Amino acid sequence: MDMKNRIWIIIILVSGLLSACNDWLDVKPEDEVDANELFETGQGYRNALNGVYNNMADLTMYGREMTWGTVDVIAQLYESFESKYAYYHLMNYEYTDIDAKSIISNIWSNTYTAISNCNNLLAEVEKADPRVFAEGEIERNMILGEAYALRAYLHFDMLRLFAPAPIVADNKGYIPYFEKHGSLSEPYLSVDSVVGRVEWDLLKAKDLLATYDTVGKNIDNLLTTVRLEGKDYSFSGSIDDIFFVYRGYRMNYYAATATLARVYDYAGRGEEACLQALEVIHATDYEKKRWCFEFTETTTSGVIETPKLHDGVIFGVSNSTLIDDYKPYVTRGQCQLKLDKEEIYGKSKEDVRASLISGDKYSLKYQEHSGNDDVDDLIPMIRLSEMYFIVSDYLYRNGKTVKMRNYNGNLADQDGIRVLRDVRFGRGITEWNESSVTNMNEMEDAIIVEARREFIGEGQLFFYYKKYNKKPVDKMIYYFPLPDNELIH
């Protein structure tokens, strides 16, 4: 853990660069001077990149509201809240409530702050001499690639939260896409236009990140023990630097690939989504003996020891205060995040994930436990199981099969049902009446059921309802209104 803490040490930066300010467009002249000083050394570029990840872990973003807080609340994941809490109003889609509006506004403004910081970093790295970086061109490419991927990831989540799904979208403008540092205004683009910008950024990111993450033995650093636990790392060439460890907390090559699969899937581009997802699923180490991302915690005792099932986490953010931040929400008398275990998992005793809901209805994912503490700070953002859901959807929808690895690593011809079944097998479930899925509508419902079980506390369930244009409650509203200061554009 000491090594990880060293990676996430962020130098004190000016408020305009890293803080979640109320108006991210308010750039003061003195901030420019400080930014220039920051980028005088290679370490400064590293610090600026780490600062973006640090922003993303803020409670107003993926540290709470965009994962286990607001976005899971509006997915109807939790039981009811008392009316005095903002989550009560969000759960009932009362987005004009003053407290709900404040949360929504902070999600918007702080995400665009992080985007602005990505653009600042991109502008500086693009013109930087590779010799300023400790590892030269390879490090420059890595920082560039991560910044492009992060810019895409952040814009895409703004699209998913503040615009209709592609399946029902029109040609109206919904959100701006900022690509230039210092820009004070950009046009509000249609859903398809934003998806196109996101796609370009992610393809660019993949090209840049491939120069490190897929070269030689460097791919070994994407195995779980290095990617998330920071153990047993080794580097090819002259690289011997902890900046290159913990790639699972960074936008590595496969995280960018998985994000692209998510984008294509959301946009209804199934074949392209499937190809990207399969690339992630089939990622192996240098000697092709181990899968980079796996289903391994298939017993109840194993799950209790590793409650985040992190062998399958492709990318996540680090929040060192996560356990303390989560604790008030499982304390009696507070705004409690209660789950209905039987409703989510049914009466089956096989699903190992069910053991992660305690007897008093709270998820154990972000609570203290007696097992592996290497990832106590981890908030999962993209999982291997999502890649299986994407492939399953495409194959079933189009009546196709593909040769791919199943949950235990064997290559076989798979159809959509078998791919979905593999996720269930990977979670200890052998019982399933597969004949209950007879059409695409039922297949979508089956995927949603698994997503609800798989992504508790990770903010993904809502987007499955939205993508499929299905509602767990009739009053669900699929996207947030713009913050008040953004209504005129």
Side-chain angles (χ1 to χ4, degrees):
M1 296 297 288
D2 290 340
M3 189 183 301
K4 189 188 301 182
N5 290 336
R6 287 175 60 195
I7 290 177
W8 294 104
I9 289 173
I10 310 299
I11 65 173
I12 298 175
L13 298 174
V14 294
S15 60
L17 181 62
L18 289 184
S19 67
C21 52
N22 292 328
D23 184 354
W24 72 274
L25 297 177
D26 182 17
V27 181
K28 299 178 176 62
E30 58 266 33
D31 294 343
E32 300 292 338
V33 176
D34 290 341
N36 289 336
E37 293 175 357
L38 172 67
F39 295 118
E40 286 181 353
T41 66
Q43 185 61 44
Y45 293 92
R46 294 182 176 190
N47 289 334
L49 177 61
N50 287 344
V52 176
Y53 291 109
N54 192 52
N55 287 162
M56 291 172 65
D58 188 85
L59 292 176
T60 61
M61 294 180 64
Y62 302 101
R64 182 178 63 203
E65 302 304 355
M66 297 171 74
T67 50
W68 52 270
T70 292
V71 181
D72 268 354
V73 169
I74 62 176
Q76 303 296 313
L77 181 65
Y78 303 116
E79 294 186 353
S80 60
F81 300 97
E82 294 181 31
S83 60
K84 63 182 177 180
Y85 295 116
Y87 286 169
Y88 169 87
H89 300 286
L90 287 163
M91 191 174 192
N92 287 284
Y93 309 101
E94 297 170 2
Y95 296 149
T96 58
D97 170 76
I98 187 170
D99 293 325
K101 285 175 68 174
S102 177
I103 290 174
I104 293 168
S105 179
N106 283 333
I107 289 174
W108 174 280
S109 62
N110 293 345
T111 300
Y112 275 105
T113 295
I115 289 170
S116 179
N117 294 335
C118 287
N119 285 333
N120 184 27
L121 178 58
L122 284 166
E124 295 294 336
V125 180
E126 290 279 12
K127 65 185 181 184
D129 187 330
R131 291 175 296 181
V132 76
F133 302 97
E135 300 300 336
E137 188 69 30
I138 194 170
E139 182 176 338
R140 179 177 180 271
N141 286 343
M142 178 187 286
I143 294 174
L144 271 175
E146 289 186 40
Y148 275 116
L150 288 172
R151 184 171 77 180
Y153 191 101
L154 292 164
H155 274 111
F156 182 60
D157 271 356
M158 288 297 91
L159 183 74
R160 293 201 294 176
L161 288 172
F162 289 90
I167 193 172
V168 296
D170 50 31
N171 291 320
K172 295 179 181 178
Y174 288 95
I175 70 165
Y177 204 97
F178 282 85
E179 298 170 297
K180 296 176 290 186
H181 174 61
S183 173
L184 299 179
S185 178
E186 294 293 335
Y188 281 56
L189 303 177
S190 68
V191 171
D192 286 346
S193 294
V194 174
V195 167
R197 303 278 184 100
V198 169
E199 177 187 21
W200 189 94
D201 275 351
L202 288 171
L203 289 172
K204 177 76 171 178
K206 285 189 65 176
D207 285 343
L208 290 161
L209 292 167
T211 61
Y212 174 76
D213 283 328
T214 66
V215 175
K217 293 184 178 180
N218 291 342
I219 197 171
D220 289 354
N221 295 318
L222 290 171
L223 296 171
T224 301
T225 52
V226 189
R227 180 179 83 250
L228 294 170
E229 298 174 1
K231 303 171 183 175
D232 307 322
Y233 61 94
S234 61
F235 303 98
S236 62
S238 63
I239 297 174
D240 186 11
D241 190 326
I242 61 170
F243 182 70
F244 295 85
V245 189
Y246 293 105
R247 298 294 292 145
Y249 287 91
R250 306 259 297 279
M251 261 291 176
N252 61 75
Y253 173 83
Y254 290 104
T257 304
T259 303
L260 188 56
R262 175 185 286 177
V263 172
Y264 284 148
D265 180 58
Y266 186 71
R269 296 162 63 177
E271 183 174 6
E272 293 164 287
C274 181
L275 290 172
Q276 298 294 322
L278 287 172
E279 184 177 1
V280 177
I281 290 168
H282 292 146
T284 60
D285 71 351
Y286 179 68
E287 296 180 344
K288 302 187 184 305
K289 294 179 179 178
R290 294 171 294 181
W291 303 103
C292 292
F293 315 106
E294 302 180 271
F295 296 109
T296 57
E297 304 92 341
T298 55
T299 65
T300 297
S301 60
V303 167
I304 294 297
E305 290 290 309
T306 56
K308 295 179 184 177
L309 308 172
H310 65 279
D311 276 356
V313 174
I314 301 162
F315 167 58
V317 295
S318 169
N319 178 4
S320 61
T321 63
L322 176 59
I323 290 175
D324 289 336
D325 293 338
Y326 190 77
K327 190 177 296 183
Y329 293 88
V330 295
T331 303
R332 294 190 183 280
Q334 301 296 316
C335 181
Q336 299 169 61
L337 302 179
K338 287 187 176 181
L339 300 161
D340 188 326
K341 184 174 181 177
E342 185 170 324
E343 183 182 356
I344 295 172
Y345 291 104
K347 296 182 179 181
S348 170
K349 296 181 180 180
E350 289 190 306
D351 196 326
V352 295
R353 295 167 297 188
S355 63
L356 292 177
I357 298 182
S358 64
D360 52 359
K361 297 188 175 184
Y362 298 115
S363 171
L364 300 178
K365 190 174 289 185
Y366 300 136
Q367 296 192 58
E368 290 183 280
H369 61 97
S370 60
N372 184 335
D373 64 355
D374 288 320
V375 294
D376 278 353
D377 61 328
L378 173 67
I379 300 177
M381 305 278 274
I382 309 178
R383 285 188 176 275
L384 175 64
S385 48
E386 181 178 349
M387 300 299 102
Y388 276 75
F389 295 152
I390 288 171
V391 174
S392 176
D393 179 295
Y394 170 71
L395 294 180
Y396 191 89
R397 190 178 298 275
N398 293 280
K400 294 187 175 184
T401 62
V402 67
K403 187 174 289 295
M404 64 175 286
R405 69 167 171 122
N406 59 22
Y407 78 100
N408 61 9
N410 297 320
L411 290 173
D413 288 326
Q414 302 270 69
D415 61 18
I417 289 288
R418 288 174 181 166
V419 174
L420 183 59
R421 184 183 61 190
D422 279 343
V423 177
R424 296 171 60 87
F425 279 177
R427 300 311 185 206
I429 308 171
T430 58
E431 57 184 38
W432 185 33
N433 181 12
E434 298 173 11
S435 62
S436 64
V437 176
T438 61
N439 55 56
M440 194 62 221
N441 181 61
E442 292 173 350
M443 185 63 167
E444 291 172 354
D445 289 341
I447 290 174
I448 288 173
V449 166
E450 291 307 312
R452 192 180 188 199
R453 295 168 173 175
E454 186 77 359
F455 302 128
I456 290 174
E458 298 176 18
Q460 296 304 318
L461 175 61
F462 175 74
F463 301 119
Y464 281 82
Y465 288 124
K466 183 171 181 175
K467 176 182 71 174
Y468 290 135
N469 197 30
K470 294 175 182 282
K471 295 184 176 184
V473 292
D474 290 339
K475 61 185 176 182
M476 174 178 270
I477 298 176
Y478 284 126
Y479 58 98
F480 294 145
L482 290 176
D484 289 344
N485 61 351
E486 295 293 329
L487 291 176
I488 300 175
H489 60 268

